[in-house]
Amino acid sequence: MWEENQENQNNINEEKSNKYLKNLLDELEKTKKEIEEERDRTNAIISNLVDGILFFDEKKNISLVNPKAEEILEIKAEDVLNKNILELTKFPIFLPLIDVLGAEIRTLFRKEIKLKENLIFEISSVPLSINQKRIGNLAVLHDITREKLIEKLKNEFVSLSAHQLRTPLSAIKWIIESLLNEEAGKITEEQKELLIKAKISNNRMIKLIDDLLDVTKIEEGRYIGEMTLTNLEPIVESSIDTYKEEIKRKKIRLEVKGLSDNLPKVMADVEKIKIAFQNIFDNAVKYTKEGGKIFVSLNYDEKNKEILIQVKDTGIGIPKNQQERIFTKFFRGSNATPIDTEGSGLGLFLTKNIIEAHYGKIWFESEENKGTTFYFTLPVKESYAEYITKEFY
Ligand code: ADP
């Protein structure tokens, strides 16, 4: 009887254990299915992405290429999988990619690259980690060929219209000057005053059109011209000189430091650096009220091997909530428009582009009704050469 009971108990236990195992297996099967479904879903997303994806593992070997990347780079995944980034140089289309990523695979955000004629992409590259352990880098290629084409057409339109406007304005300028010089006969004081007003407006229009033409050149990447080894002091001095009359009229106290310090030379497109400094100085003069003060200084920063230029004014300042838009195209501060109704809001956009094209930096500090200080740096010859080398690799 005891044995019979024992056997019954064993049977029950076995049944229980079988049931438990079966449940476990079912559970495992279900989890496996879910993982497979999740993997298939992720694969389907990666395979159907409109952007190309390349994944480089920790050893910088390619471990994933999605179909869009195969299409963009005209390669077959099996030909490149498990190859190191440096081995990819034998595929010419990879060269611009390797150029920006570097052997170490840099982190990049929307860097523009031209893979072929009429094939322009933005590449972003981010390091990926799981549980804080670095597993590699993901590079994403996004086609911007169409946007670039539209931008090019828009630029061509602006450039063509600006050129068409520039010609008659130059003719008007010449006519006004002839009239003012009394080449067409004597003029009265009243006529002279009117002609001077016409000349100022015409010059403003010419400046606006020249700025617009410069913006189109920046956007087409053909703005900066020949770079020469040059001193900044004469550029700053001659720019300030053109404002002598206006500074006197507004009774502004001007202090300039560093003009005779024999600072190291910089590599610069002289004409463009002059435009950059002039835009900053022009704003300081324009937005400083009568009796205010402007301080300009040039310093050599030995540690960073760069020249630091500072333009400080005691003017109207830039409202806090508008400061982040200051370098964007056509931006004008709400407190600036009543002072200068005809500003274009292009000056600082051009200036930032010029300084950055010289590998310099530009920033500012400002407080409304107290004043503004603009700073910009330009690398001296040796550090400029380092930037060029870095960019090349
Ligand atoms: P513009 O001076 O023709 O308006 P900018 O691009 O040179 O165009 O400047 C953009 C805006 O930045 C100005 O409209 C003004 O609001 C602000 N700004 C620039 N410099 C100064 C300054 N020194 N003091 C106060 N505001 C300034």
Side-chain angles (χ1 to χ4, degrees):
M1 182 70 178
W2 182 87
E3 277 174 1
E4 205 175 302
N5 268 349
Q6 186 61 38
E7 196 175 325
N8 271 348
Q9 190 56 47
N10 281 348
N11 282 344
I12 292 169
N13 281 349
E14 198 178 321
E15 218 171 279
K16 263 193 184 162
S17 140
N18 279 345
K19 211 167 163 191
Y20 173 75
L21 272 177
K22 190 173 175 311
N23 276 345
L24 198 66
L25 279 175
D26 283 352
E27 206 52 44
L28 273 175
E29 191 58 33
K30 201 171 141 219
T31 313
K32 186 176 155 221
K33 229 172 155 181
E34 276 172 9
I35 291 172
E36 279 172 358
E37 271 174 20
E38 185 61 39
R39 188 199 55 204
D40 291 348
R41 206 175 311 136
T42 312
N43 280 345
I45 293 171
I46 292 173
S47 302
N48 291 295
L49 265 184
V50 288
D51 287 343
I53 283 190
L54 301 168
F55 184 70
F56 294 88
D57 64 20
E58 263 300 75
K59 291 185 187 134
K60 322 292 175 208
N61 293 339
I62 285 202
S63 68
L64 185 144
V65 180
N66 78 339
K68 189 67 193 181
E70 285 182 295
E71 185 193 318
I72 296 168
L73 298 163
E74 297 171 350
I75 46 150
K76 284 210 170 73
E78 63 255 34
D79 293 338
V80 292
L81 278 176
N82 299 319
K83 287 205 165 60
N84 186 274
I85 181 157
L86 294 176
E87 285 178 72
L88 299 172
T89 43
K90 56 176 177 263
F91 299 93
I93 200 157
F94 266 97
L95 292 177
L97 210 83
I98 299 169
D99 235 20
V100 292
L101 285 173
E104 76 277 22
I105 311 195
R106 296 182 192 112
T107 298
L108 300 170
F109 182 65
R110 292 186 167 184
K111 173 109 180 151
E112 204 176 300
I113 52 168
K114 192 172 182 178
L115 288 180
K116 277 203 287 183
E117 199 53 46
N118 296 328
L119 200 57
I120 302 162
F121 282 81
E122 259 174 10
I123 180 165
S124 301
S125 152
V126 283
L128 289 193
S129 306
I130 295 179
N131 294 334
Q132 293 175 351
K133 186 175 179 296
R134 182 89 176 256
I135 57 161
N137 284 69
L138 185 72
V140 181
L141 285 163
H142 177 65
D143 191 347
I144 53 160
T145 312
R146 198 178 129 76
E147 283 94 320
K148 290 304 273 185
L149 181 68
I150 294 171
E151 197 179 300
K152 187 165 169 268
L153 292 174
K154 185 202 78 188
N155 275 339
E156 278 170 7
F157 171 75
V158 174
S159 173
L160 189 80
S161 322
H163 273 296
Q164 294 293 335
L165 285 168
R166 183 74 167 80
T167 320
L169 286 174
S170 301
I172 295 170
K173 182 182 161 108
W174 177 78
I175 292 167
I176 295 174
E177 262 156 26
S178 307
L179 289 172
L180 275 171
N181 292 337
E182 302 193 322
E183 283 166 31
K186 263 206 129 6
I187 55 168
T188 64
E189 268 313 300
E190 204 179 336
Q191 285 166 338
K192 192 175 169 186
E193 261 172 41
L194 289 172
L195 281 171
I196 287 173
K197 278 186 184 152
K199 184 178 159 177
I200 291 170
S201 296
N202 194 60
N203 281 348
R204 275 205 168 127
M205 199 100 104
I206 290 175
K207 166 90 171 69
L208 171 64
I209 286 175
D210 286 347
D211 282 354
L212 273 175
L213 283 170
D214 284 348
V215 170
T216 61
K217 282 186 201 149
I218 283 177
E219 283 167 353
E220 286 167 15
R222 53 179 186 89
Y223 185 50
I224 300 297
E226 202 194 331
M227 305 290 270
T228 48
L229 194 59
T230 183
N231 278 113
L232 285 172
E233 297 92 312
I235 300 178
V236 168
E237 197 166 16
S238 67
S239 300
I240 292 178
D241 225 40
T242 52
Y243 289 88
K244 249 180 15 205
E245 289 300 313
E246 185 62 3
I247 288 172
K248 207 165 134 196
R249 191 186 68 77
K250 287 182 88 172
K251 299 187 186 69
I252 291 174
R253 281 173 297 141
L254 173 69
E255 191 185 341
V256 188
K257 262 193 173 161
L259 281 186
S260 46
D261 286 358
N262 207 7
L263 302 166
K265 292 182 179 182
V266 297
M267 287 299 287
D269 173 338
V270 173
E271 190 202 332
K272 301 296 163 12
I273 289 296
K274 192 166 183 169
I275 293 177
F277 177 79
Q278 216 149 10
N279 281 338
I280 293 175
F281 192 73
D282 181 84
N283 283 337
V285 176
K286 211 159 54 177
Y287 300 122
T288 297
K289 294 195 179 124
E290 279 199 26
K293 194 176 167 201
I294 297 178
F295 171 71
V296 178
S297 73
L298 289 88
N299 279 297
Y300 176 46
D301 175 349
E302 207 156 346
K303 188 168 152 259
N304 294 313
K305 292 199 169 49
E306 59 194 16
I307 306 280
L308 171 70
I309 297 188
Q310 188 191 148
V311 179
K312 184 182 168 87
D313 66 52
T314 56
I316 58 167
I318 303 159
K320 265 264 156 324
N321 62 349
Q322 297 171 22
Q323 291 190 357
E324 63 180 43
R325 288 154 60 208
I326 206 80
F327 293 112
T328 54
K329 237 186 299 179
F330 303 114
F331 170 76
R332 304 217 53 220
S334 54
N335 57 344
T337 18
I339 291 179
D340 173 36
T341 47
E342 296 181 39
S344 67
L346 289 173
L348 287 179
F349 170 78
L350 289 172
T351 302
K352 186 173 182 348
N353 273 279
I354 293 171
I355 301 300
E356 288 178 354
H358 285 77
Y359 304 100
K361 291 181 280 305
I362 177 164
W363 70 99
F364 67 93
E365 287 157 4
S366 185
E367 200 175 325
E368 207 175 348
N369 297 319
K370 285 240 168 88
T372 306
T373 310
F374 270 90
Y375 303 88
F376 71 87
T377 62
L378 287 173
V380 302
K381 195 181 155 206
E382 311 103 272
S383 50
Y384 179 84
E386 274 170 32
Y387 280 113
I388 292 275
T389 325
K390 255 190 228 154
E391 180 145 290
F392 184 75
Y393 286 107

